[in-house]
Structures are given as structure tokens and as C-alpha cells.
Amino acid sequence: MAEKNEQQQDLGQLLKIRREKLAALQEAGKDPFQITKYDVTAHSADIKDHFEEMEGQTVRVAGRLMQKRVMGKASFCNVQDLKGNIQCYVARDCVGEDPYKDFKKYDIGDIVGVEGEVFRTQKGEISVHASAVTLLSKSLQILPEKYHGLTNTDVRYRQRYTDLIMNEEVKDTFIKRSKIISAIRRNLDSQGFMEVETPMLVANAGGAAARPFETHFNALDEDFKLRISLELYLKRLIVGGLERVYEIGRVFRNEGLDTRHNPEFTLMELYQAYTDYHGMMDLTENLYRTVAQEVLGTTKIVYNGTEIDLGQPFARITMVDAVKQYAGVDWDEVETLEQARALAKEHHVEYEERHKKGDILNLFFEEFAEEHLIQPTFVMDHPIEISPLTKKKPDKPDYVERFEFYLNGWEMANAYSELNDPIDQHARFKDQEAQLAQGNEEANTTDEDFLNALEIGMPPTGGIGFGIDRMCMLLTDSAAIRDVLLFPTMRSM
């Protein structure tokens, strides 16, 4: 305890010194916070990648001071910017006596601008020979110790700004995330899809099996919900004649936190008129390959030591066949709910009283099959009980034209041949209302305006929802969803 108190006192003294340095600068008319701009002409990686062209040129770099070695009349420092870091050589005779005195007082964490000539040191390191160093912002806090870094995950997530400074691989992850989303947009735009935006505050949060967050809109004195899906509004646009639409946006689900779930996350949904779930499979296969190749330069990715090949044809299997393969149960032979329940008890699959035969099939799939679907796999033809917005299979009306896309044992996407029969959809909503009354808090409620849109007429349509965060996890080899969310949901301290 005494040692901890001593460390806190030492830290407090260091912080006090930084504030005193700032006060001295301000008193001398050198307040860094009065500087409004600095014209940057090059970044660290650009200088290193194009050294032969840039050697001898004068550049202006800016970034955070991460290391400093003062050696009398000359010093070396390391400046970290968006693209990496670069060494700068600062000599008193080049920058001037007073500016050099100021430089020696700069702290690790300060933001500086360095103007100078690109050169290579005797030891071969590409550097900037400074002719001027400008303090652009004073850091009043102490960064984590360089060699131990920032490893506490709770602190990393709460202080992502510090995490980005101290852990280069974290910055790389989020740069890749941005590139992944840009690549998705380019791919869809090239196919004639139009990006749109739909409401986040909704009266009826439908389109998925999830509990919504609820809020009150004071101006209208009405209760609203945060959307759990993008589906119902996007399908309204298909009714309106926009044949190919997509949206990438945040959705909100009032559920738990774990390595693959965060209550607010990024979802992409797209809808294409005049196609079905087979068309969505082809689109998904093409999209994943294209994005991986564009962002990573390969269609073979490694996640947690396992190679996943996005270049091979994606496997396709029905849910019934998956359960038969991995659980040894042939659901085609299950004729009654009583038989389904008996099988569940025999195989130690827990179910609720409200669950029907199709629900129990899905429980078998989740229990026995999911974890085996490591390579890209489309699981097709789900039971109607768990698919209230999907077209029935004409030859097998207890099942629907739906697939879930699996990688690494995770559900990555969910797609349908969209139900466009308003009479059937009305009946499905009624069944969902009954489930809600029986205690299923994730059941849909009837959306009368959406039914009205279907009565206007919606063409045959294929639709799909992609979990962008899970896609980013796989393509960046990140262990948890929080590692690909800049600011994940955290409990208040």
C-alpha cells in the first residue's frame, strides 16, 4: 500500500510539472493551444516508401512525440503519425539556440511539427534533419510505459484514444475496417445497388428476433424504439420501385455482451428485386471473395490459427441435412411435436413449452452443427416457425427459402426469398403476436404500414443482412467484437 501511495505521489508530481511547463510557455507567449494549423506535406510511411525520390527534399511532418534522446547539442526523437513513425534529428545549430532549449523540455506525448530535409543516418535509418520544430499541442497526461504498453483490456476499450497511440496493430485493425466497408460499397455500387438511409427511431421495431431498446419522444409524447433491423423499411423501398437498395448502419438490440455481441453494432442489409435466396448466395460468395482480395490481397485468411479458404466454392447444405450429419437425427422422419420433444430429451437439448417442431430442429442445429461449419457454408431451408418474413418452399411448406451463411462456426449473414404475399404475412404476424403473449420477448409485432406496402405489391425479392463487425473480426483476426468497435458498450465506472 505504501509503495502504491508513493507511485501515486510521483505521478502527481509529474503531472504537476507538465502543467507548470505549459504555464511557462503561455507566459512566454508560446501557448501551443493558440496554434490553429500546421501544413503537413508528408507522412512517415510515404517518406520511407519513396526515399529515393524524396532524399534531400524538405518535408513537414507532424505527430506525437514517442521517444526523445537528448545528447548535448543534438538530439534524436521519434514522431508517430497516421501511417507509422519516423526518426527526426534535431541539432541546436540548425534549429537555433532558443528553439532547441524549448525542444529539450518537450514531453513524450506532445504533438509536434517538424520541418526538415529527408536523409539517411550513418546507421542507415531514414530520418528528417530538422530545421524547425513546432510544439502544436501539449500533453498533460502521461502515456503508458513504452515497453510494457497498454495491455489492460478494460482500459484499452474505455480509452481507445490511448490504445490507438500505444498499439500499432489496433490502428491497423481500424484502418482495415474502414477499407472493408469501402470495398463493400464499391462492390455493391458496381452492381447497380443504391445506398439509402432509413429511420433509427421507429414505432415498430421489426425485422429480426431481438428485444429493442425503448425511449420516449417528448415532442410527440410517444414511445419509440431503436431499430433492431433495417429490413421492413428497405422492403418498402422495393415496393416503391427502387429495385436494388442497401444500407450500412447501426442497429440496437437489448441483449447481453460477449465476444460476438454488442448491443449496438453495424449491420448491412440489401434487397434486390426479381431474384431469390439463390441469387443472394451468389452475391455473398462474390462479395466475401472480392473484399478479402481487395483488403488483404488474398482469399485465404487465417483466423486464430485456422486457415479459411474463401476462394473455394462455398458449401451448401440444408438445415435438416446438417442436423442429420452432425447429430445423427433425420428430421424428415419427425412427424409430430411429441416426437421432436422426445428427441430433444434424449439428446439433452433444452427447449421451452412454447417451442414447436421447427423451433426444436433449430435448437438441434445450434447445439450440434454450428461449431463444425468452419469453412464457408450456406445452411439452407429453415423451418417456417423461425422465419416469419420468408417465402415458403412450394414443395415443402413447413420450410422456407432462407439461408444463414457460416464461417468459423459463426453466423455471418441471414438471407431470404422475401415473403411478398400480404395475406400470408398478416397470418405470420398474428402467430408472432401469439408467441409474444406466450413470453417470447423477441417475437415480431404486426406492422400495419408494412402490410399496406405489401398490398400495394412487392415483386419477387431476395434480401440479406450481413454482420459487418463479425466480418471485420474474421478479416483482421480479432478475438472479440470489442476489438473491431472503436467505442464498444461498457458498464459505467
Side-chain angles (χ1 to χ4, degrees), residues 305-338:
T306 299
E307 184 176 273
I308 298 173
D309 188 358
L310 299 173
Q312 66 177 347
F314 291 6
R316 303 187 182 195
I317 187 171
T318 66
M319 183 178 282
V320 168
D321 285 344
V323 169
K324 186 175 181 178
Q325 179 175 339
Y326 294 109
V329 175
D330 187 351
W331 214 259
D332 285 334
E333 297 181 356
V334 179
E335 297 179 353
T336 66
L337 176 58
E338 288 70 26

Side-chain angles (χ1 to χ4, degrees), residues 410-421:
W410 303 349
E411 179 199 339
M412 304 298 293
N414 185 25
Y416 316 148
S417 296
E418 302 296 335
L419 179 57
N420 62 342
D421 178 345

Side-chain angles (χ1 to χ4, degrees), residues 48-159:
K48 293 177 180 180
D49 292 344
H50 303 95
F51 174 73
E52 292 183 1
E53 304 163 33
M54 300 187 70
E55 184 178 13
Q57 291 186 19
T58 297
V59 296
R60 288 164 65 92
V61 298
R64 192 174 300 275
L65 197 61
M66 297 300 290
Q67 291 179 337
K68 190 175 71 165
R69 289 174 287 139
V70 177
M71 300 177 295
K73 298 179 181 180
S75 301
F76 285 95
C77 67
N78 184 285
V79 175
Q80 178 177 293
D81 62 16
L82 172 68
K83 298 183 179 181
N85 59 76
I86 192 161
Q87 178 175 271
C88 297
Y89 174 67
V90 184
R92 184 191 67 181
D93 294 343
C94 294
V95 300
E97 187 168 344
D98 288 340
Y100 188 66
K101 287 180 181 177
D102 290 339
F103 169 77
K104 289 197 294 183
K105 295 177 183 177
Y106 294 169
D107 292 306
I108 299 303
D110 288 350
I111 307 292
V112 298
V114 179
E115 180 175 355
E117 190 175 290
V118 176
F119 79 113
R120 192 189 295 272
T121 66
Q122 290 182 344
K123 292 184 177 181
E125 184 165 355
I126 295 170
S127 307
V128 175
H129 192 308
S131 56
V133 181
T134 306
L135 180 62
L136 302 175
S137 182
K138 183 69 185 165
S139 174
L140 301 179
Q141 279 287 352
I142 310 256
L143 291 177
E145 199 271 327
K146 176 69 178 175
Y147 293 102
H148 294 96
L150 179 63
T151 57
N152 183 293
T153 54
D154 189 74
V155 175
R156 286 181 52 226
Y157 298 145
R158 290 184 189 279
Q159 298 184 17

